[in-house]
Amino acid sequence: MIESILSKDELTREDLVMLLQADAEQRNIIYKKAAQVKEQYVGRKVYFRGLIEMSNVCSKNCFYCGIRSGNTSPKRYSLTDDEIVDVAKFAWENKYGSLAIQTGEVDTKEFVLRVERLLDKIHRATNSELGITLSMGEQTEETYRRWFEHGASRYLLRIETSNRNLYYKLHPNDKHHSFEQRIECLHSLRRAGYQVGTGVMIGLPFQTIGDLADDLMWLRNMDIDMVGMGPYVEHPDTPLWQYRNQLLPLEERFNLGIKMIALLRIIMKDINIAAPTALQAIDPLGREKGIKVGANVVMPNITPGTYRNDYKLYDNKPCMDDAADDCKNCLEARIHLTGDEVGYGEQGNSMHYRKRQMPNV
Ligand code: SAM
Ligand code: SF4
């Protein structure tokens, strides 16, 4: 049964619902297929994106996130340009290939200009050899274009859920948290020339298996270039904490997360898929398990250690105390254990994006 579904050229929503409900034995068949697809379409290389958590200052108030503006617990910080350039150089010298710079959402003129200057500084310090992913929330198309012109080539903006009703259970219902605007931003990013990344959280309160199947269909319909998606992990200082007793157990959220990665690899064969840190927050081998079933990107955290405690999106965030190079060494050994190799010194751009740019190649 599972085999015949998996042999289809295109999976339907009903197929995906069925596969998401697969039991332990059937799961292994899905994982095997996903591993084959990965090997055939993107190869067995895993690319590093050195993750810099630039600032936890955020103007938004998402109900799930530990650094939401309404939470007064974290000490708010912003890394200086020098601190960022230093860790960018670390990534470059260690042949990481790419950086991912993530922040809370700020859209002031000063911030937009600061990011432009910062991109210039990073490129100067690293011989323009690093691919740069930004994850800085919703901005105007003009801002996205300017950052692209200053050398950012990828942008990650998760839709969080493709179900509009669920979206509004996770966010305040106001003009700063508009579902339509978030989708419009993804279109703006595409028009500006980026490799466009998005993703969802898995195991949210009120979320159904049907919602997750819809998320997979939505990612395919949006023809997205890269995806970062992982389990929702609750945080005590957030409004969604009140629903913690309605959540699936962490282990089930983890298994669903792994299944979502495998199914996404099967339906979107040549995109980049990240093994998110939230997987490792639940299972110490979480990211490796994600790599085995289709992920081909990992994001070792290179934020200076003193700030990491204040960028807590959820409970149990891993590598809180590790120096950046400990993370690199432990990750490399772990990736080798999966049978994959690290694409050192390679940017590892999305094959899907490349094919869209040059359809005849
Ligand atoms: N502020 C930007 C944005 O929201 O797009 C980028 C940074 S934001 C912290 C990055 C991602 O963290 C969000 O898109 C969300 O999916 C994830 N996140 C936040 N809280 C989480 C939680 N409790 N569990 C799992 N992921 C979470
Ligand atoms: Fe801010 Fe992003 Fe967290 Fe929402 S998810 S509160 S935009 S940092």
Side-chain angles (χ1 to χ4, degrees):
M1 183 64 176
I2 288 278
E3 282 92 344
S4 69
I5 296 178
L6 288 173
S7 66
K8 288 184 178 180
D9 284 340
E10 189 144 320
L11 299 181
T12 63
R13 179 182 190 275
E14 290 65 39
D15 294 332
L16 291 168
V17 168
M18 193 165 304
L19 293 168
L20 282 166
Q21 289 169 324
D23 63 24
E25 198 181 315
Q26 295 169 329
R27 270 200 317 247
N28 290 330
I29 303 172
I30 301 174
Y31 297 163
K32 204 167 148 202
K33 167 85 179 184
Q36 277 164 2
V37 172
K38 173 178 164 184
E39 178 156 10
Q40 183 178 345
Y41 286 85
V42 294
R44 294 202 61 178
K45 256 191 202 168
V46 175
Y47 301 100
F48 279 180
R49 318 293 187 220
L51 174 65
I52 306 174
E53 294 161 337
M54 176 174 165
S55 166
N56 64 356
V57 176
C58 186
S59 61
K60 291 177 81 169
N61 222 350
C62 309
F63 293 157
Y64 42 83
C65 178
I67 60 170
R68 60 200 296 271
S69 57
N71 182 8
T72 51
S73 305
K75 205 167 103 220
R76 301 290 164 174
Y77 73 86
S78 278
L79 299 184
T80 64
D81 283 8
D82 285 348
E83 283 171 321
I84 295 170
V85 170
D86 273 355
V87 287
K89 271 163 72 183
F90 167 88
W92 178 55
E93 283 158 7
N94 284 279
K95 303 210 176 319
Y96 274 26
S98 294
L99 290 180
I101 310 177
Q102 199 179 79
T103 67
E105 193 173 304
V106 178
D107 63 357
T108 59
K109 235 186 192 164
E110 296 73 43
F111 181 74
V112 172
L113 276 172
R114 182 183 171 206
V115 173
E116 279 182 22
R117 281 196 303 265
L118 184 61
L119 287 166
D120 294 343
K121 285 184 190 174
I122 293 172
H123 278 296
R124 270 199 303 275
T126 60
N127 207 20
S128 288
E129 285 172 7
L130 290 176
I132 302 183
T133 308
L134 298 182
S135 183
M136 301 188 168
E138 295 168 38
Q139 305 286 342
T140 64
E141 187 161 330
E142 163 72 11
T143 297
Y144 289 145
R145 282 187 192 281
R146 286 167 67 155
W147 290 347
F148 186 80
E149 279 157 19
H150 284 262
S153 56
R154 316 179 186 119
Y155 204 100
L156 185 61
L157 183 75
R158 286 183 173 183
I159 189 67
E160 318 297 359
T161 172
S162 64
N163 176 333
R164 188 177 186 281
N165 287 335
L166 179 55
Y167 189 89
Y168 284 109
K169 290 187 176 141
L170 310 177
H171 300 93
N173 195 343
D174 63 25
K175 69 177 178 5
H176 302 295
H177 300 81
S178 153
F179 180 70
E180 281 71 27
Q181 183 55 32
R182 200 138 181 111
I183 293 184
E184 190 42 43
C185 282
L186 291 168
H187 292 304
S188 297
L189 287 162
R190 163 102 3 118
R191 288 192 291 269
Y194 287 89
Q195 295 170 56
V196 180
T198 188
V200 295
M201 284 181 284
I202 298 155
L204 287 160
F206 317 113
Q207 193 179 43
T208 65
I209 289 291
D211 289 330
L212 292 173
D214 287 335
D215 288 341
L216 291 169
M217 303 282 285
W218 183 89
L219 291 167
R220 184 167 65 187
N221 290 340
M222 288 290 286
D223 196 25
I224 227 71
D225 301 308
M226 29 185 235
V227 170
M229 63 179 177
Y232 161 68
V233 184
E234 64 274 30
H235 188 296
D237 299 328
T238 60
L240 287 194
W241 179 252
Q242 65 187 296
Y243 303 112
R244 64 192 176 284
N245 296 328
Q246 298 176 25
L247 298 172
L248 289 172
L250 270 179
E251 194 190 334
E252 277 179 47
R253 272 180 263 165
F254 177 88
N255 286 335
L256 262 183
I258 294 286
K259 239 192 240 171
M260 286 285 284
I261 289 178
L263 292 174
L264 181 67
R265 174 58 73 201
I266 291 169
I267 65 168
M268 296 193 77
K269 301 180 171 19
D270 56 0
I271 64 170
N272 276 351
I273 304 178
T277 313
L279 282 178
Q280 201 191 344
I282 301 178
D283 178 335
L285 292 176
R287 287 192 291 200
E288 294 75 346
K289 291 183 181 168
I291 290 168
K292 279 196 152 172
V293 303
N296 66 335
V297 167
V298 288
M299 298 165 75
N301 195 341
I302 57 171
T303 309
T306 42
Y307 297 104
R308 287 192 203 177
N309 210 27
D310 291 312
Y311 201 90
K312 268 185 134 170
L313 309 180
Y314 43 76
D315 268 356
N316 293 331
K317 199 172 128 184
C319 282
M320 278 306 199
D321 306 316
D322 286 357
D325 51 351
D326 290 338
C327 268
K328 181 195 168 216
N329 293 339
C330 75
L331 253 185
E332 176 175 330
R334 288 155 155 233
I335 287 166
H336 280 156
L337 286 178
T338 68
D340 280 13
E341 58 172 305
V342 180
Y344 280 121
E346 295 178 59
Q347 291 193 4
N349 289 309
S350 163
M351 202 98 87
H352 189 74
Y353 173 86
R354 229 180 298 159
K355 282 190 200 150
R356 203 180 39 252
Q357 301 297 102
M358 296 181 285
N360 300 321
V361 177

